[in-house]
Structure formats: C-alpha cells, structure tokens
C-alpha cells in the first residue's frame, strides 16, 4: 500500500506524456510560398460533430493546402445575389455577394473537384457608385455572417466530392475575417478590389458534419456587381 501514491504518480506521468504525443500528432504546419500573385493557404480539419461543443473531439481527417493560380488550381472572382428585376424581386432582403473562389479543377467533370469560397455580403445599393463600392473593403476586421441579411460580413463555404460546407447558421462569434494590402483598380469599366484575406471559420454540411478552416490566407479579387437587369450609370 505504501507504493500506491508512487504508482499513481508514475501512471499520471505516462498518461500526460501520451496526451502530449497525441496532441503533437494533430499539429499541422502551414508554410506556403505562393508562386502567383493570387493564392491561398489554409488548414482543413474535418469532424463528425461540432468540435466547439466537445474539446476532446478529434478530427476524422485533416490536411494542409497551399494553392497558387496554376493548373489545375484556379483562383477566380465570382458573385451571387438576389436583387434586381425578375424572380429576384421575391426576396425580401436583397444582397450582392462578390467572392474569391479557389478551386481544383477537374477536366473530366468540367467543374471543381473541391473549392473554397470567400464571399462578402452587402446591400445592393452599396454597389451603386464606384466610390461606395470601394469603401466596402477596408483594412479592418469583419465578422462572419449568420445569414444573407447580415450585411457587412463574410460567408465562407467549401465544396468537396458533392458535399457543401457553409459558415452560415454556425456559431462563429469567436472568429473574424481580416482584410489587408488592399488595391482599388478600375480597368475597362470593371471595378475590383484586390485584397489579402485572413480568417478562421467553422463550417457545417447538410449531413451534420463539420469542417474547421484554420490559418487561412487568401489573396484575390472582389468585383463590383450590379443587380440583375440593372446597369449602373457610372
């Protein structure tokens, strides 16, 4: 019985050492050296449940991505919205959402095999003038939108093998999106902002799985948009 405290202390040391080894196995190092002016680097951790609700939940898969704008990777500018003429007028809260999309293109399916999208959400009239559009993107911290009515914030989405993950409707108050190194450019009646975007975000899929995007740094273009069927005078 005299050895019990010693045995307990030894067991505790072994357990602590094992836990450290397990944690080290989860450490991923993100060290990217972009080869093009537009690029993206990020860590993906996939979970079968919400990792924020269980601190001991381990990822079922994790990976590091360092993407430059070189085939088969494409880093493009896209956009979505529901304001303007026609069917889009049925939405009560119209928005425009320019986005940077980074994707691994698959020529066999003529589509992205997997893609990460960084989308800004603003009201339609925020794009009505060149000045108002440029004023949307400032060197500052932005939040992650709870829905498409949450103007002035961002939505992060990821697509892989037919499964879509989104930050919408997920508790992301502990995270933010930071813009820096901003360039305002107008070429041939096209206005766009080049920016470096840094963020962490928790995403959820329709099948209840979760994805945490960590230490993301993306550089790309946000284009000025117009409502469906509308041309700005400027």
């Amino acid at each position: 019985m005299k050895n019990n405290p010693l045995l307990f202390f030894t067991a505790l040391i072994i357990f602590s050492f094992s836990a450290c080894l397990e944690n080290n196995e989860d450490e991923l190092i993100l060290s990217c050296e972009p080869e093009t002016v537009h690029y993206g680097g990020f860590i993906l951790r996939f979970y079968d449940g919400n990792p924020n609700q269980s601190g001991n939940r381990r990822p079922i898969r994790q990976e590091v991505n360092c993407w430059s704008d070189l085939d088969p990777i494409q880093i493009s500018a896209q956009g979505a919205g529901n304001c303007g003429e026609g069917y889009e007028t049925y939405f009560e809260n119209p928005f425009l959402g320019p986005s940077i999309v980074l994707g691994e293109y698959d020529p066999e399916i003529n589509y992205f095999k997997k893609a990460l999208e960084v989308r800004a959400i603003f009201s339609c009239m925020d794009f009505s003038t060149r000045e108002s559009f440029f004023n949307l993107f400032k060197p500052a911290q932005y939040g992650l939108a709870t829905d498409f009515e949450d103007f002035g914030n961002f939505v992060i989405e990821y697509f892989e093998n037919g499964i879509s993950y989104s930050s919408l409707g997920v508790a992301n108050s502990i995270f933010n999106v930071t813009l820096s190194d901003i360039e305002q450019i107008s070429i041939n009646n096209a206005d766009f902002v080049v920016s470096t975007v840094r963020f962490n975000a928790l995403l959820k899929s329709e099948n209840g799985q979760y994805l945490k995007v960590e230490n993301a740094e993306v550089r790309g273009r946000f284009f000025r948009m117009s409502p469906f069927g509308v041309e700005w005078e400027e």
Side-chain angles (χ1 to χ4, degrees):
M1 296 298 292
K2 293 182 180 180
N3 291 332
N4 283 347
L6 179 61
L7 291 174
F8 174 78
F9 183 67
T10 303
L12 181 62
I13 292 177
I14 294 175
F15 174 79
S16 299
F17 182 70
S18 300
C20 289
L21 289 179
E22 290 178 358
N23 290 335
N24 288 337
E25 290 175 355
D26 288 341
E27 290 182 2
L28 296 179
I29 298 176
L30 180 62
S31 180
C32 299
E33 296 183 1
E35 301 178 59
T36 55
V37 294
H38 300 149
Y39 60 85
F42 47 93
I43 295 173
L44 301 178
R45 299 187 195 271
F46 296 84
Y47 298 87
D48 58 5
N50 190 336
N52 289 349
Q53 295 178 353
S54 174
N56 297 323
R57 191 181 298 276
R58 298 173 61 83
I60 57 178
R61 178 165 66 92
Q62 52 189 350
E63 61 184 54
V64 174
N65 290 277
C66 292
W67 288 353
S68 294
D69 195 12
L70 298 169
D71 189 63
I73 302 301
Q74 297 182 7
I75 300 177
S76 59
Q78 296 185 17
N82 65 351
C83 54
E85 300 175 355
Y87 72 95
E88 295 178 332
T89 59
Y90 292 105
F91 291 87
E92 295 182 358
N93 294 283
F95 73 94
L96 289 175
S99 63
I100 302 172
V101 178
L102 308 87
E104 181 178 349
Y105 186 76
D106 187 343
E108 293 186 2
I109 62 175
N110 196 32
Y111 194 67
F112 290 130
K113 178 163 50 177
K114 54 183 178 179
L116 176 70
E117 183 168 8
V118 181
R119 176 178 296 161
I121 302 297
F122 299 108
S123 69
C124 300
M125 292 307 297
D126 286 336
F127 295 77
S128 60
T129 68
R130 180 176 291 123
E131 181 181 5
S132 62
F133 165 70
F134 284 146
N135 283 334
L136 297 175
F137 299 89
K138 295 293 185 181
Q141 287 187 348
Y142 297 75
L144 287 159
T146 56
D147 52 42
F148 287 116
E149 301 175 24
D150 196 2
F151 298 154
N153 293 300
F154 281 74
V155 175
I156 309 299
E157 295 182 320
Y158 182 76
F159 171 84
E160 179 181 277
N161 298 326
I163 300 176
S164 297
Y165 299 80
S166 176
S167 62
L168 289 172
V170 180
N172 270 298
S173 59
I174 62 174
F175 300 128
N176 57 59
V177 176
T178 302
L179 304 188
S180 62
D181 305 317
I182 293 175
E183 301 176 44
Q184 300 176 350
I185 301 175
S186 296
I187 300 177
N188 298 328
N189 295 323
D191 304 318
F192 59 93
V193 169
V194 183
S195 177
T196 300
V197 188
R198 296 181 177 88
F199 62 90
N200 294 285
L202 182 64
L203 285 58
K204 184 180 180 181
S205 69
E206 293 181 354
N207 61 12
Q209 293 186 328
Y210 285 80
L211 166 63
K212 186 175 286 188
V213 184
E214 298 181 352
N215 301 332
E217 178 176 321
V218 171
R219 185 160 181 84
R221 297 169 294 176
F222 295 101
F223 271 83
R224 180 185 175 195
M225 301 172 62
S226 61
F228 184 79
V230 173
E231 293 186 9
W232 302 122
E233 294 182 0
E234 185 182 358

